[in-house]
Amino acid sequence: MSVTVVNPATEERIAELEQAGVDETDAAVARAKEAFPAWRDVAPNDRARLLRRLATLVEEHGEELARIESQNVGKPISGARAEIGMVANVFHFYAGAVEKHYGETIPVAGGVDVTFREPLGVVGLIVPWNFPLNISSWKLGPALACGNTVVLKPAELTPLSALRLAELVLEAGIPEGVVNVLVGKGSVVGARLVEHPDVAKIGFTGSTEVGRGIMQAAAGTIKRVTLELGGKSANVIFEDADLEAAAASAPYAVFDNAGQDCCARSRILVQRSVYDRFAELLVEATRDVRVGDPADDATEMGPLISAQHRETVASFVNGDVLFSGETPSGPGYWFPATLVEASNEDRIAREEVFGPVAALIPFEDEADAVRQANDTPYGLSGSIWTRDGARALRVARAIDTGVLSVNSNSSVRHSTPFGGFKQSGFGRELGMHALESYSEIKNVYIAT
Ligand code: NDP
């Protein structure tokens, strides 16, 4: 069985790859298991050096990797370059973390008590198609730093950057078997990793629906799981905010990556007293989003990932459309940047669209803003725009979400924790926090 990889901007075939099945998955797990004892025993300083070398190789091959990602996902090259820059930063960060992730000594009677951070063993990493290499690195970095070996399953639609990374891993001197990349279906390779008795943990990013199934299936072997799932984040604009700045930034908080972003601030909550003025500014700013050829340095928004996904996104747009942008004609899975006026009860405000569609929703006061922001099963990300510092902190504490920004829409950094509340999942990626979910604490008491 083979899989055809397509460029979503041109609909052209860019690769034809063999698909792994259950046997190949078992073989990859066996390779990772065999490689584990030696990798765990690599001296911390040497493991750090190997990860550092990988980070440097990603930098040296940055343009090549960015082009692979841009062609395979249809994302603008400028965004792809930034993502690959982050991949290198993530490996640099976890290279530095290897020797800083240590245990404690705990006062006890009659002896000494120490804790060790032990690796888990073989971990399965399952990632989606929207930020293929970026999200892979968020899992690979801490997994390898802690001394685990991995089997990485990229999304079926976007395996190319992970395959190239696997070559760079070997070039960096990381031993064979430590990182194994498998191209194959989620329902086959992914499902086998989840049930495999020799896989100690699954690090998953994807939809809440698949995440729920993984959590259930992992129960069979009491596997550890971290789940980074969907979102329906609120961008909350108060009447005292810098409206021009908030409106200039808001389109990129939802139309970046054509809205295929779990952090997309796709519910724009605006205080009623400034709603009309803000809507006017937002339409102007959205008109300026440059949609077109992803290979062009100036392009800000590309196509969606597939024809099927475009149909799903289109099914959400049937209400009060405030603005709908232009798209290129010809091939490609294009969808216009779209602003819709809605209430928080509408489907557009309840479900994750994962496309360039934002819902504008009015609110009355601070309490109403918090109520509406929290009135969702999700809790991943969000923003608060206000000039009142105390209000910013009050509202930030009151919103049930894992990652927030004030007077900004940026919330993902290699050194800070990222992850969800509620049905957006659990566990934290990035920063030192991610090391917790790729290691186990062992407590040892020594009688003296
Ligand atoms: P899916 O959940 O469909 O797929 C994610 C990954 O899981 C893919 O590699 C997929 O493989 C695999 N998979 C599918 N079925 C199974 C299964 N039964 N067992 C194990 N693995 C499986 O999500 P999408 O790829 O469609 O990505 C979009 C979704 O991901 C959105 O809902 C978005 O919110 C969420 N997401 C969340 C992020 C976060 O950090 N919270 C970040 C990015 C996306 P295959 O491709 O072969 O089907």
Side-chain angles (χ1 to χ4, degrees), residues 7 44 65 95 213 282 310 373 411:
N7 179 336
L65 289 166
L282 181 65
R310 181 170 57 183
S411 51

Side-chain angles (χ1 to χ4, degrees), residues 126-131 135 138-139 153-158 184-192 194 204-211 213-214 227-231 260-263 309 352 354 378 380 418-420 424 429:
I126 302 176
V127 300
W129 43 258
N130 55 345
F131 298 102
I135 291 177
W138 301 0
K139 302 179 190 323
K153 195 208 89 61
E156 215 190 335
L157 296 170
T158 57
K185 282 188 186 306
S187 56
V188 179
V189 174
R192 179 63 185 148
V194 176
F204 173 78
T205 298
S207 59
T208 295
E209 189 190 347
V210 171
I214 286 179
L227 302 175
E228 300 288 352
L229 309 175
Q260 303 166 124
D261 182 347
C262 51
C263 287
H309 188 52
E352 185 172 47
F354 228 55
Y378 296 112
L380 187 57
F418 174 77
S424 288
E429 305 207 286

Side-chain angles (χ1 to χ4, degrees), residues 6-344:
V6 168
N7 179 336
T10 61
E11 302 182 34
E12 280 165 8
R13 199 176 78 161
I14 47 177
E16 195 78 36
L17 301 169
E18 282 302 303
Q19 268 190 350
V22 169
D23 291 348
E24 288 80 8
T25 309
D26 288 352
V29 172
R31 280 197 303 278
K33 189 178 176 185
E34 201 186 330
F36 174 61
W39 179 244
R40 178 185 52 194
D41 289 347
V42 168
N45 189 27
D46 291 335
R47 199 184 305 142
R49 198 168 292 137
L50 290 167
L51 283 175
R52 184 75 72 197
R53 217 179 277 160
L54 177 60
T56 305
L57 280 172
V58 169
E59 279 165 350
E60 287 170 6
H61 293 267
E63 188 60 22
E64 176 199 351
L65 289 166
R67 289 200 178 277
I68 291 173
E69 208 76 314
S70 172
Q71 282 179 11
N72 197 172
V73 188
K75 64 175 72 215
I77 186 68
S78 57
R81 285 189 188 117
E83 283 170 36
I84 300 303
M86 184 180 189
V87 172
N89 283 340
V90 168
F91 289 134
H92 276 303
F93 180 87
Y94 288 107
V98 173
E99 293 175 294
K100 303 181 186 81
H101 186 228
Y102 31 69
E104 307 122 300
T105 58
I106 300 172
V108 290
V112 175
D113 193 283
V114 294
T115 62
F116 295 94
R117 310 275 184 167
E118 304 288 10
L120 302 169
V122 178
V123 300
L125 309 179
I126 302 176
V127 300
W129 43 258
N130 55 345
F131 298 102
L133 202 58
N134 214 3
I135 291 177
S136 299
S137 73
W138 301 0
K139 302 179 190 323
L140 281 167
L144 297 176
C146 290
N148 303 285
T149 55
V150 310
V151 179
L152 167 67
K153 195 208 89 61
E156 215 190 335
L157 296 170
T158 57
L160 300 182
S161 54
L163 289 171
R164 184 67 184 110
L165 185 80
E167 294 169 352
L168 297 180
V169 163
L170 294 179
E171 204 178 318
I174 295 172
E176 296 249 8
V178 171
V179 175
N180 304 272
V181 177
L182 284 181
V183 176
K185 282 188 186 306
S187 56
V188 179
V189 174
R192 179 63 185 148
L193 286 174
V194 176
E195 73 178 19
H196 200 299
D198 289 337
V199 174
K201 179 223 162 86
I202 295 288
F204 173 78
T205 298
S207 59
T208 295
E209 189 190 347
V210 171
R212 189 173 289 119
I214 286 179
M215 201 170 160
Q216 278 163 351
T221 47
I222 315 290
K223 219 175 240 71
R224 280 89 187 111
V225 286
T226 46
L227 302 175
E228 300 288 352
L229 309 175
K232 193 73 210 174
S233 299
N235 186 2
V236 184
I237 318 256
F238 285 99
E239 60 188 1
D240 67 346
D242 179 342
L243 293 186
E244 280 73 18
S249 177
Y252 301 96
V254 60
F255 303 134
D256 256 358
N257 215 40
Q260 303 166 124
D261 182 347
C262 51
C263 287
R265 276 80 164 157
S266 54
R267 288 185 299 146
I268 306 180
L269 305 186
V270 187
Q271 194 152 12
R272 199 181 291 280
S273 51
V274 294
Y275 182 91
D276 290 342
R277 172 73 188 131
F278 183 82
E280 226 171 81
L281 291 167
L282 181 65
V283 167
E284 272 169 45
T286 306
R287 213 186 294 281
D288 290 344
V289 175
R290 280 170 293 199
V291 183
D293 180 5
D296 184 337
D297 280 356
T299 295
E300 294 175 321
M301 190 175 110
L304 292 171
I305 190 72
S306 66
Q308 193 192 347
H309 188 52
R310 181 170 57 183
E311 269 179 46
T312 311
V313 171
S315 77
F316 281 90
V317 183
N318 43 26
D320 293 327
V321 175
L322 183 65
F323 176 79
S324 179
E326 303 285 319
T327 57
S329 52
Y333 311 122
W334 302 96
F335 197 87
T338 307
L339 299 170
V340 177
E341 294 189 283
S343 90
N344 204 48

